[in-house]
Amino acid sequence: MSKIIIGRYIPGDSIVYRMDPRSKIIGTFLFVFLMFLANNWLTYGILILFTLVAIWATKLKPKIFWDGIKPVIWLIFFTSLLQMFFTSGGRIYWSWYFLKITQVGIENAVYLFLRFVMIICISTVLTLTTSSLQIADALQWIMKPLKIFKVPVEQLSLVMAIALRFVPTLMDQTVKIMNAQRARGIDFSSGSLLKRIKNIIPILIPLFITSMTVALDLATAMEARGYQEGKPRSHYRVLSWTKADGIILGYFLLLSIGLIIFRTK
Amino acid sequence: MKDIIDVKHLSYTYADMQTPALSDISFSIQEKSWVSIVGHNGSGKSTLSKLLDGILEVDFKKNRILIDNILLDETTLPQIRDKIGIVFQNPDNQFVGATVQDDIAFGLENRDISYEKMHQIVPIVLEEVNMLKYKEKEPQNLSGGQKQRVAIAGILAIQPKIIILDEATSMLDPEGRKEILKVIKRLQKKFGLTVLSITHDIDEVMSSDEVLVLNEGNLMGKFLPDELFENEELVVKAGLVPPFLYQLRKEFEKKGIDIPRNLKTEKEVVEFLWQLNLKK
């Protein structure tokens, strides 16, 4: 579990950490879109440079990013190879029935590989440097325009915040239940697939019941503390734009202009 | 002293139950006093606390609940909740915020308090319960006692007149229990709070001003702690174990030695026992 780096937050302190989560989320989405503007070596070079600067600015060890790519590296290789064998155009280097390696094929494979790695790196920059709470706050801000369509943004964000707050608590619960069932003789790590699935039941049922109890208790506590649905609430946690956010968004503007200028028609 | 809580003819039956959880209860509680509510499991203690705060709804015409001279009904509910803060049993399940300071702010947010004011109040109340240095911490990194102290701070933030402890210390270790009671005792003096404590803890019952005894939904009466522990039948009905001194006195009585009733502390009794042989 702890090996998966995607979606994990590592506390630290650097310019990226101090940035507003909203600009980080918007930036990450923008970056993914911008990636599809790139279609030659120069534009890819610009994007790689940007990615490297972003990684450097987090002041985290580069190895952490490699850890993020490692679990999906075979998927990336496999897609790249497919791209290589099934794209035609340019000079043909090698062919065998329907498989052939061409100049354009190799180029596309490398582009695809880079694209994958960069998207993973940039989204890892976002998740490593932004706590789930900040992400929830930022999403709430981003969802605000949906109020026009009568989407209950306030309630949704409270739901999100409470869900995030209870993830570690329920994780602890799960471990405790698993240990308790182990103490009664259940083996979670061996047996046929069917048997292993059956073994999950003694974890799931108590976990569901606990979640219900927690939900009821929490609802009572919230009500006792004066929560009323739909009543206007103030916010203790307010996001504020910093200078770094201006810089980063300007940076993105330059990046988009650069990509549009240098991409080949 | 005026009465801050006045309850007349309060009954309540849960929807899926045959027997009432509370039947025709009337009592009043003085301002700034510490009142313990005792009784067996299922005697209606928690139901009572939820009724006082309007979390459980009753027919407000038949059941008269007066909190600080405000009659509890649908329209006065928010006012009542400003007057009462409840600390619940399970410290985990009442922590709403993702961090300590967020949790304190939850009650303030609900009351639409301004940003600046909230950021003034939160550090002050955290300092009161000695948790200021933990303000950025997440609940899973706190002990049970610390979580309960945060819950108390969250209540202090809205400046209530009454604090209800709904078995607030029952899931804590002895250390945490002592700490919480000490904190509340201090705050009670400082802010003139009325404390209503549902408890099984003998020491706490001993040190309270008055004790309400509930038995199967019926109110057995309001007693001074001394009165209660002298009455053996009542103590059993209340689901309590008599304190050590009372047990000791009874054992000595069996052997024909009377320990005078006016000796209230262990120290006094020890002094008495020292001198016992000298007199003979």
Side-chain angles (χ1 to χ4, degrees), chain A residues 165 225 233-234 236-237, chain B residues 92 95 101-103 110 113:
Chain A
R165 134 90 185 89
R225 293 175 68 180
R233 303 179 72 235
S234 52
Y236 180 73
R237 195 183 281 283
Chain B
D92 249 322
F95 209 107
Q101 47 178 348
D102 284 300
D103 191 66
N110 290 336
I113 309 284

Side-chain angles (χ1 to χ4, degrees), chain B residues 72-269:
Chain B
L72 177 69
D73 61 30
E74 289 92 346
T75 54
T76 55
L77 214 54
Q79 268 171 284
I80 298 283
R81 296 223 170 115
D82 285 347
K83 305 237 178 238
I84 302 180
I86 309 184
V87 185
F88 292 94
Q89 183 173 25
N90 191 330
D92 249 322
N93 301 359
Q94 55 180 310
F95 209 107
V96 189
T99 65
V100 168
Q101 47 178 348
D102 284 300
D103 191 66
I104 309 291
F106 181 74
L108 298 170
E109 288 176 331
N110 290 336
R111 286 163 179 84
D112 210 5
I113 309 284
S114 72
Y115 178 85
E116 291 76 23
K117 197 121 185 256
M118 274 198 276
H119 282 258
Q120 265 172 20
I121 296 172
V122 169
I124 295 173
V125 293
L126 276 175
E127 189 60 57
E128 286 293 348
V129 296
N130 201 11
M131 285 291 288
L132 191 57
K133 55 181 177 293
Y134 297 95
K135 73 175 187 166
E136 306 278 354
K137 285 266 191 284
E138 282 134 22
Q140 67 266 26
N141 301 324
L142 301 176
S143 72
Q146 288 173 329
K147 279 179 217 165
Q148 291 302 59
R149 277 193 279 162
V150 173
I152 295 166
I155 285 167
L156 278 187
I158 60 161
Q159 296 179 313
K161 289 200 157 175
I162 303 162
I163 286 191
I164 298 178
L165 307 173
D166 189 350
E167 300 195 41
T169 58
S170 66
M171 290 179 86
L172 305 180
D173 52 26
E175 208 52 43
R177 185 172 304 174
K178 262 186 220 152
E179 214 179 79
I180 294 293
L181 287 178
K182 222 169 79 190
V183 167
I184 296 179
K185 278 260 154 74
R186 186 168 52 77
L187 295 175
Q188 186 199 13
K189 280 213 191 81
K190 187 165 176 185
F191 297 106
L193 299 166
T194 309
V195 179
L196 212 60
S197 171
I198 296 170
T199 184
H200 292 286
D201 185 45
I202 297 295
D203 295 329
E204 205 194 317
V205 176
M206 283 281 278
S207 67
S208 49
D209 298 323
E210 281 175 313
V211 190
L212 284 174
V213 182
L214 280 173
N215 186 266
E216 288 172 3
N218 297 302
L219 185 64
M220 308 298 291
K222 195 163 76 167
F223 306 92
L224 297 172
D226 253 352
E227 260 182 290
L228 172 70
F229 288 119
E230 294 295 346
N231 188 338
E232 276 172 53
E233 196 190 344
L234 205 62
V235 171
V236 174
K237 268 194 176 163
L240 294 173
V241 182
F244 175 69
L245 272 186
Y246 289 80
Q247 289 179 24
L248 190 75
R249 188 186 296 157
K250 212 178 339 159
E251 290 301 315
F252 270 103
E253 267 167 22
K254 276 186 202 160
K255 307 269 182 211
I257 300 167
D258 276 332
I259 298 178
R261 304 242 144 173
N262 57 359
L263 304 182
K264 299 292 180 210
T265 65
E266 278 181 35
K267 205 175 165 197
E268 286 172 338
V269 174

Side-chain angles (χ1 to χ4, degrees), chain A residues 7 22 32 38 42 60 63 100 105 137 162 167 183 193 255:
Chain A
R22 288 171 295 185
V32 175
L42 184 62
L60 289 165
K63 195 186 163 288
K100 49 182 168 292
D137 285 343
I162 290 174
V167 168
L193 190 65
L255 190 66

